Amino acid sequence: MKENKKKTEQELITPVAKPVSRRILLGGAATAAVVLLKSSYGQIIQKAISQAELKINDPTKVLGPPPGELGTRSKFEKPVKKPSDTSSRTPLQDLYGTITPADLHYERHHAGVPVIDPQQYSLTIHGMVEKPLVFTLADLKRFPSVTRTFFLECSGNYRGGKETLRPQEICGLTSQSEWTGVMLSTLFRETGVKPKASWFLAEGSDAAVMSRSIPVSKGWEDAMIAYAQNGEAIRPEQGYPARLLLPGWEGNTSVKWLRRLELSDQPFMTREETSKYTEAVKDGKIRQFSFVMDARSIITYPSYPQQVQKGWMEIRGIAWSGRGKIHKVEVSTNGGRTWNRANLQEPVLDKAHTAFRYLWEWKGGEAEIMSRAIDETGYIQPTMKQLKEARGVDMGGYHLNPITSWLVQRDGSVINKPV
Amino acid sequence: MNKLYIACMSMIVFSCNSHQTSYPESKTEHIRQADTTGWPARFGLGRPASAAGIAAMDIDVSPDGTGLPPGEGKAEAGKTVYMNRCVACHGTETTPGDAKLLGPVLISNNPGKAKTIGNYWPYATTLFDYVRRAMPYNEPGTLSDEEVYQVTAFLLAAAKVIRQQDVLNAQTLPNIKMPARERFVPDDRKGGPEVR
């Protein structure tokens, strides 16, 4: 080696003489990556390069990091939830398709996220049953399983009144997952639910000991006890290690961290179905046990604070209904004067977020774009005005599903149209 | 055929105590069918729940009083509990209804548009159940049953639903008629073209 006097850049680097572990090669605080270089002697050598060099580097010339134990999100992508004291909202505008990544699933809980050891976990079913039973997590997993994709939505999922609201703020308390678990009907069979039982209490083991009364009919119909979400164990924020899921019903009824089901012949009138999750309607009445989430849609592109350019674009969004499948989504680009049928992404699933698209050429000038969902019962997503007419001006904040309008302004900026 | 056909949502009926409300039939279009072909009558999973095990977690209280424990309490003693354990987050009589506290305003003389125990809660049993289950927020489940009776009496007296000297126990609590009770109606939305 010493006979060669002409020192090239490559030669300054120590050739790899003996096997060195990747960890060592990749180590070092200033090292951003390792490149393979060919020395003037024809040997392949590795060179650590700095962050600064990497920035301007051609990725085809840089050996990437090795396979790892856990995947990562690109450092250029930073979708985040928007937390408040009591909830955290899904960034609907940053998502594609209809599955919510588990770490972006919305959260709403009443006393924080409990830590539950799966070895200690159990679900007790008692009350009006032939055989009161306690199931461990392993027991639940031994039963015939089901996997189903559907949305969850908090019934308090509406914010309005401002131009500077993103889809996340307006209705980010909805998310969708593929859930795996055991049908509640299977456990009803196992415990022998008595014909007289018409309601059951679902109770969680969080610090709120969350409790809701649910009609037994929903249990036989399509309720499930889920232990997995998008292919992995359910996340703590979504109810680890097991939760109740009532497809299409207000999120609060899908009790997380489920510890107990008590069968009865009357509802229990818990705080969450009396003081909360009830809504004032006309004539001083208060609507109770309003379980089902009505059909709704939102355009997620374009939306605030995005900027659009003249020309063709695909107006995109999601639509969903707690009563079944989305039948149709209509899009208006002229403030509701005329409506056009959007394309729905197949397969359209029951009680599931459904992606819609509508091709539109923006020629400049102001435009008001909006979408409305129509479900298979023939329900048409209403305007806020229609909701107020139907429920009275004192209607509460639950079950509000009004049409959302976006104003595309002359300069291409997009704002929410407060209603 | 060993299939279990599950009919559409059957009648949802609830009845409690003195009051009977029939919930309208709520149908879904989807008749689901759990395919139980080849299933045994039972899988034999799970272990029998012991009476003691159930009792340890069965904390719910129904409108008819089922689940209420022995013990009793009056508003005066409840005031002490409230002042020691609740006031920091829930305020006093002079706290306005829209005040920013950690918890909702509970005993305000000036509630404004806030929903309160007196103007909104349909059952007194719910108050006992909820306080015993979830309060104080930062130390849930630390009140004795006696203290829960006491503070429940205090909150109901502050709402002018009961008198200062009334004694709350498993017999008297379910008999309290809450002012808002008749306002509650079952959900009447049912899909289809009508907005409700």
Side-chain angles (χ1 to χ4, degrees):
Chain A
M1 229 188 258
K2 63 170 122 49
E3 57 265 57
N4 196 325
K5 299 281 184 270
K6 250 177 85 191
K7 285 189 174 172
T8 63
E9 223 268 294
Q10 280 108 319
E11 284 171 292
L12 294 171
I13 295 144
T14 319
V16 181
K18 51 184 170 185
V20 179
S21 82
R22 296 194 108 154
R23 186 174 294 280
I24 289 169
L25 283 166
L26 293 173
T31 307
V34 169
V35 281
L36 286 188
L37 298 171
K38 202 172 182 188
S39 77
S40 45
Y41 303 104
Q43 280 171 297
I44 301 294
I45 54 165
Q46 299 196 11
K47 182 203 176 194
I49 58 162
S50 70
Q51 283 286 353
E53 281 177 288
L54 183 60
K55 255 189 213 138
I56 50 162
N57 228 312
D58 173 353
T60 66
K61 302 291 185 292
V62 182
L63 179 67
E69 285 192 329
L70 285 175
T72 59
R73 200 162 266 144
S74 161
K75 67 171 187 170
F76 303 106
E77 299 292 329
K78 297 212 165 61
V80 284
K81 294 196 279 193
K82 185 165 186 198
S84 73
D85 286 349
T86 53
S87 69
S88 194
R89 313 172 83 85
T90 294
L92 297 173
Q93 67 283 350
D94 298 331
L95 303 184
Y96 305 87
T98 50
I99 294 291
T100 311
D103 60 356
L104 297 175
H105 196 289
Y106 84 86
E107 293 177 53
R108 173 72 179 103
H109 21 82
H110 285 255
V113 179
V115 178
I116 300 170
D117 178 348
Q119 301 297 327
Q120 305 295 319
Y121 174 83
S122 67
L123 171 64
T124 301
I125 303 184
H126 71 108
M128 290 185 171
V129 295
E130 303 292 344
K131 279 176 70 170
L133 290 173
V134 181
F135 301 105
T136 62
L137 189 61
D139 290 334
L140 294 180
K141 290 181 180 175
R142 271 185 67 183
F143 279 104
S145 62
V146 284
T147 293
R148 183 175 170 194
T149 298
F150 49 89
F151 74 87
L152 278 180
E153 184 178 18
C154 175
S155 60
N157 189 20
Y158 174 75
R159 292 287 176 279
K162 272 206 298 191
E163 291 179 343
T164 52
L165 295 175
R166 297 172 296 172
Q168 182 165 20
E169 279 97 26
I170 295 168
C171 61
L173 295 177
T174 185
S175 308
Q176 175 151 289
S177 305
E178 183 205 74
W179 303 101
T180 299
V182 48
M183 293 303 283
L184 184 52
S185 57
T186 303
L187 302 184
F188 276 5
R189 242 171 133 253
E190 191 75 11
T191 47
V193 166
K194 293 183 179 167
K196 248 179 66 190
S198 52
W199 290 82
F200 67 90
L201 184 80
E203 186 177 85
S205 50
D206 56 338
V209 204
M210 177 52 62
S211 56
R212 285 294 303 255
S213 307
I214 313 293
V216 164
S217 52
K218 183 68 174 174
W220 286 115
E221 191 202 357
D222 65 352
M224 67 191 274
I225 310 292
Y227 43 75
Q229 174 185 14
N230 298 345
E232 63 174 336
I234 225 165
R235 296 270 171 129
E237 296 85 353
Q238 272 75 63
Y240 184 85
R243 73 176 300 172
L244 180 63
L245 284 171
L246 306 177
W249 284 21
E250 63 182 13
N252 181 252
T253 60
S254 286
V255 174
K256 300 188 283 278
W257 314 293
L258 191 68
R259 72 168 195 179
R260 183 168 77 95
L261 299 176
E262 180 176 352
L263 280 294
S264 177
D265 57 2
Q266 54 172 356
F268 294 76
M269 299 298 176
T270 71
R271 180 251 188 176
E272 312 301 335
E273 59 211 22
T274 54
S275 165
K276 300 289 163 192
Y277 301 101
T278 53
E279 55 271 3
V281 287
K282 277 188 174 159
D283 307 321
K285 295 294 181 196
I286 299 163
R287 183 186 281 162
Q288 192 183 22
F289 298 122
S290 33
F291 293 123
V292 182
M293 298 309 295
D294 283 321
R296 188 170 186 182
S297 68
I298 183 150
I299 292 170
T300 51
Y301 180 84
S303 63
Y304 173 81
Q306 293 152 358
Q307 182 83 27
V308 297
Q309 265 90 49
K310 269 186 207 156
W312 289 96
M313 72 183 81
E314 197 173 58
I315 294 177
R316 297 177 182 147
I318 50 169
W320 62 98
S321 169
R323 293 187 196 278
K325 288 181 183 173
I326 287 295
H327 168 61
K328 187 157 80 165
V329 176
E330 293 179 332
V331 170
S332 173
T333 55
N334 55 16
R337 270 186 292 126
T338 55
W339 293 91
N340 312 285
R341 193 171 187 145
N343 289 322
L344 301 186
Q345 176 63 57
E346 295 287 340
V348 175
L349 301 176
D350 186 36
K351 300 166 187 166
H353 284 173
T354 302
F356 68 85
R357 313 183 176 103
Y358 176 72
L359 208 52
W360 179 51
E361 185 183 14
W362 182 51
K363 299 190 172 116
E366 273 172 25
E368 180 179 345
I369 61 172
M370 53 217 275
S371 64
R372 66 180 181 199
I374 298 154
D375 72 15
E376 61 180 317
T377 72
Y379 178 87
I380 305 170
Q381 184 184 359
T383 60
M384 186 60 106
K385 188 162 161 277
Q386 283 177 292
L387 285 169
K388 279 185 188 150
E389 279 164 10
R391 299 181 191 172
V393 285
D394 286 334
M395 66 181 179
Y398 296 115
H399 291 280
L400 296 182
N401 59 331
I403 289 174
T404 299
S405 281
W406 302 106
L407 297 176
V408 179
Q409 306 184 99
R410 246 163 241 295
D411 62 358
S413 61
V414 182
I415 54 170
N416 177 231
K417 183 184 179 187
V419 287
Chain B
M1 282 283 273
N2 181 22
K3 280 192 176 169
L4 177 67
Y5 287 90
I6 292 150
C8 17
M9 296 234 333
S10 49
M11 278 268 271
I12 302 175
V13 181
F14 86 72
S15 62
C16 19
N17 232 8
S18 56
H19 184 79
Q20 290 258 346
T21 308
S22 270
Y23 274 69
E25 206 159 351
S26 150
K27 284 205 177 98
T28 75
E29 312 248 304
H30 314 278
I31 297 175
R32 261 164 230 295
Q33 194 182 312
D35 187 355
T36 56
T37 311
W39 284 22
R42 284 195 174 136
F43 289 92
L45 297 172
R47 62 179 152 84
S50 68
I54 293 171
M57 49 167 39
D58 187 3
I59 56 170
D60 54 82
V61 174
S62 290
D64 66 5
T66 308
L68 279 170
E72 60 178 37
K74 281 166 62 166
E76 200 187 332
K79 182 168 187 168
T80 311
V81 177
Y82 188 86
M83 288 311 195
N84 289 335
R85 308 292 304 274
C86 326
V87 73
C89 297
H90 289 295
T92 65
E93 290 89 339
T94 55
T95 309
D98 56 0
K100 277 253 166 281
L101 292 174
L102 215 67
V105 168
L106 285 184
I107 57 168
S108 181
N109 289 332
N110 180 22
K113 289 187 92 175
K115 299 176 195 170
T116 63
I117 293 164
N119 72 21
Y120 204 88
W121 287 53
Y123 300 94
T125 46
T126 307
L127 194 53
F128 185 98
D129 175 287
Y130 182 69
V131 171
R132 183 166 71 159
R133 170 184 298 277
M135 289 296 137
Y137 192 66
N138 51 342
E139 299 173 298
T142 56
L143 297 183
S144 67
D145 289 342
E146 202 81 4
E147 287 172 311
V148 179
Y149 274 121
Q150 291 164 354
V151 79
T152 302
F154 171 72
L155 292 171
L156 290 171
K160 312 219 165 16
V161 175
I162 63 169
R163 291 162 305 176
Q164 205 60 31
Q165 67 273 25
D166 288 347
V167 177
L168 285 195
N169 56 35
Q171 283 69 50
T172 57
L173 186 59
N175 289 328
I176 295 169
K177 184 111 172 101
M178 298 295 279
R181 168 79 164 273
E182 299 305 327
R183 295 175 62 198
F184 281 75
V185 292
D187 186 15
D188 61 349
R189 297 168 308 141
K190 51 185 193 303
E194 203 182 347
V195 175
R196 282 168 174 270

